Amino acid sequence: AVVSTQSTGDKERKEVSAANLGDSGFMVVRGDSVVYQSQEQQHYFNTPYQLSINTGRQGVIQDRPSDADTATISIQRGDLIVMATDGLFDNMFQKQIVERLQQIDRNAPTYEGLKLVADKLAADARNLAMDEEYMSPFAVKAQHYGINFRGGKLDDITVLLASVVDCWQDEKT
């Protein structure tokens, strides 16, 4: 991801640009609302885009960096950016993630606070992944495709959190 500011006259625009490939993803949360969430890329259900090396084997799907979805999103102080593998998004609904993020002090976020919440999100996702009765986001998608599945989805779970802060100094101060 790349963060930039652009000045046009009296207005300054802050943005984050990102490229995302496959079923890992990210979301930008402002207050208690998701202002952007990347969409997973799949060839078909549970077969995400992935970078791979062509080994010459027939039937192997090969995706390239140029296949990534790109986006530029306006950001502002206090926004949180959640970047995670599908182990989070397959086991936790957007609302559950946003609720957990409310534990972060948006006015004075700390590394320790962000790490604590990232760890809690990963633990929440892991616990839900092991619940065979939970109707997870993955189970909802499976049923949409006619697959009788219930429960969480055991998978790798990695969560990174970033907070947007003002680090640009006002030249007048």
Side-chain angles (χ1 to χ4, degrees):
V2 175
V3 178
S4 68
T5 59
Q6 297 178 358
S7 295
T8 331
D10 292 337
K11 294 189 177 189
E12 186 174 72
R13 201 167 124 193
K14 297 178 178 104
E15 311 176 315
V16 62
S17 295
N20 189 68
L21 181 85
D23 56 358
S24 292
F26 71 99
M27 58 197 295
V28 177
V29 179
R30 184 169 299 141
D32 60 359
S33 299
V34 174
V35 295
Y36 182 86
Q37 182 163 3
S38 61
Q39 297 300 308
E40 64 185 5
Q41 295 174 299
Q42 295 194 30
H43 294 284
Y44 44 89
F45 178 69
N46 207 24
T47 306
Y49 284 32
Q50 296 185 52
L51 295 178
S52 61
I53 297 171
N54 187 349
T55 60
R57 288 183 29 206
Q58 199 168 13
V60 174
I61 299 170
Q62 183 177 6
D63 300 307
R64 296 180 174 86
S66 59
D67 295 322
D69 282 338
T70 58
T72 300
I73 304 106
S74 293
I75 55 173
Q76 55 187 257
R77 185 179 192 274
D79 286 354
L80 295 172
I81 302 172
V82 180
M83 298 158 278
T85 58
D86 59 317
L88 176 72
F89 298 116
D90 282 344
N91 289 298
M92 292 185 73
F93 290 95
Q94 202 178 69
K95 180 180 178 187
Q96 294 169 301
I97 297 168
V98 171
E99 284 175 5
R100 179 61 80 186
L101 294 176
Q102 300 313 305
Q103 297 176 348
I104 297 171
D105 180 354
R106 305 290 176 95
N107 295 316
T110 62
Y111 167 80
E112 292 78 14
L114 292 169
K115 182 181 182 318
L116 178 69
V117 173
D119 289 345
K120 285 182 179 182
L121 282 167
D124 291 345
R126 183 176 185 274
N127 290 335
L128 292 168
M130 295 186 295
D131 183 344
E132 295 177 1
E133 296 302 314
Y134 173 58
M135 198 61 183
S136 66
F138 181 82
V140 170
K141 287 181 218 158
Q143 290 189 0
H144 173 79
Y145 286 96
I147 300 167
N148 186 17
F149 183 87
R150 188 172 193 86
K153 181 183 180 217
L154 284 172
D155 205 343
D156 59 300
I157 301 169
T158 302
V159 179
L160 300 171
L161 290 180
S163 176
V164 177
V165 296
D166 280 328
C167 62
W168 300 273
Q169 294 295 325
D170 186 327
E171 294 176 12
K172 297 176 186 173
T173 61

